[in-house]
Amino acid sequence: MPRQLPSAPEAEASLLGTMLVYPASTRIAMEEGLNEDDFFVEANRKIFRVASDLYNSGQQIDLTTVYTRLNDLNLLNETGGIEYLTKLSDASVTSYNTKSYVELIRDKAIARKMIETAEKIAEDGFENSSDIDAYLDDAEKSVLDISRNRKTAEFRTPQDVMRAVMERV
């Protein structure tokens, strides 16, 4: 039986539902540096992208605005439509675990990136073993890029900091 890539579809769904009901959850996800590529389930990735776009343009994120944007982009069928969005929002009872959902989603995404990188390193080792120094440099750079991106996600641009401050004020 083939192994499954690490993922947390329940955490993805819980986060999206929370974002649809509690506006602060979207802010937390954005401040934590979560992005659409961190999502494993394609429908969830598209819903998050739409919510991110709405957030970044200063619009409210809720069931209606996300549904409308998905409809405008002809993505409703690809994301489960109003039924899936309603299911997500109905399952959300609190925003307390938002940060935990974000961390779980990000951790699984990092694990997938490491697996992908390890597979590429192995493939390169089979194909190009003549220049071992270049091979080791490329392998090291690939792994460090994942680590570096994980750490820099904690930093925010001045615009993001100001937006967060203004929202709190």
Side-chain angles (χ1 to χ4, degrees), residues 86-149:
T86 303
K87 179 181 168 186
L88 292 174
S89 63
D90 286 349
S92 178
V93 292
T94 181
S95 64
Y96 182 76
N97 293 322
T98 299
K99 201 167 186 176
S100 297
Y101 299 148
V102 169
E103 289 172 3
L104 185 56
I105 293 166
R106 186 182 310 118
D107 289 351
K108 298 298 183 181
I110 290 169
R112 288 193 304 273
K113 289 174 188 169
M114 283 297 296
I115 291 167
E116 180 182 305
T117 299
E119 288 173 346
K120 183 176 180 337
I121 291 169
E123 184 178 317
D124 290 348
F126 283 113
E127 292 176 3
N128 187 15
S129 59
S130 62
D131 186 358
I132 196 69
D133 289 331
Y135 170 68
L136 288 172
D137 287 344
D138 290 344
E140 182 179 21
K141 181 184 179 306
S142 297
V143 172
L144 287 175
D145 283 346
I146 293 170
S147 178
R148 192 174 303 118
N149 289 338

Side-chain angles (χ1 to χ4, degrees), residues 8-164:
E10 298 82 10
E12 291 179 13
S14 295
L15 176 65
L16 292 173
T18 302
M19 289 170 59
L20 292 171
V21 177
Y22 303 100
S25 294
T26 303
R27 181 182 46 76
I28 292 168
M30 297 300 139
E31 288 176 357
E32 291 294 315
L34 197 65
N35 67 64
E36 68 183 88
D37 294 331
D38 294 330
F39 285 78
F40 182 74
V41 177
E42 187 65 31
N44 293 343
R45 180 179 294 152
K46 291 175 181 179
I47 293 168
F48 185 82
R49 181 183 339 126
V50 164
S52 296
D53 291 346
L54 289 168
Y55 177 83
N56 290 330
S57 66
Q59 298 179 32
Q60 187 69 27
I61 288 94
D62 60 26
L63 182 66
T64 303
T65 57
V66 172
Y67 169 83
T68 301
R69 180 64 61 92
L70 288 169
N71 190 42
D72 291 347
L73 297 172
N74 294 318
L75 294 175
L76 273 180
N77 290 336
E78 299 173 35
T79 57
I82 190 67
E83 296 82 14
Y84 186 59
L85 291 174
T86 303
K87 179 181 168 186
L88 292 174
S89 63
D90 286 349
S92 178
V93 292
T94 181
S95 64
Y96 182 76
N97 293 322
T98 299
K99 201 167 186 176
S100 297
Y101 299 148
V102 169
E103 289 172 3
L104 185 56
I105 293 166
R106 186 182 310 118
D107 289 351
K108 298 298 183 181
I110 290 169
R112 288 193 304 273
K113 289 174 188 169
M114 283 297 296
I115 291 167
E116 180 182 305
T117 299
E119 288 173 346
K120 183 176 180 337
I121 291 169
E123 184 178 317
D124 290 348
F126 283 113
E127 292 176 3
N128 187 15
S129 59
S130 62
D131 186 358
I132 196 69
D133 289 331
Y135 170 68
L136 288 172
D137 287 344
D138 290 344
E140 182 179 21
K141 181 184 179 306
S142 297
V143 172
L144 287 175
D145 283 346
I146 293 170
S147 178
R148 192 174 303 118
N149 289 338
R150 175 183 57 98
K151 291 177 183 171
T152 59
E154 296 171 9
F155 296 103
R156 297 182 289 174
T157 65
Q159 295 85 0
D160 289 340
V161 172
M162 287 303 297
R163 182 179 19 240

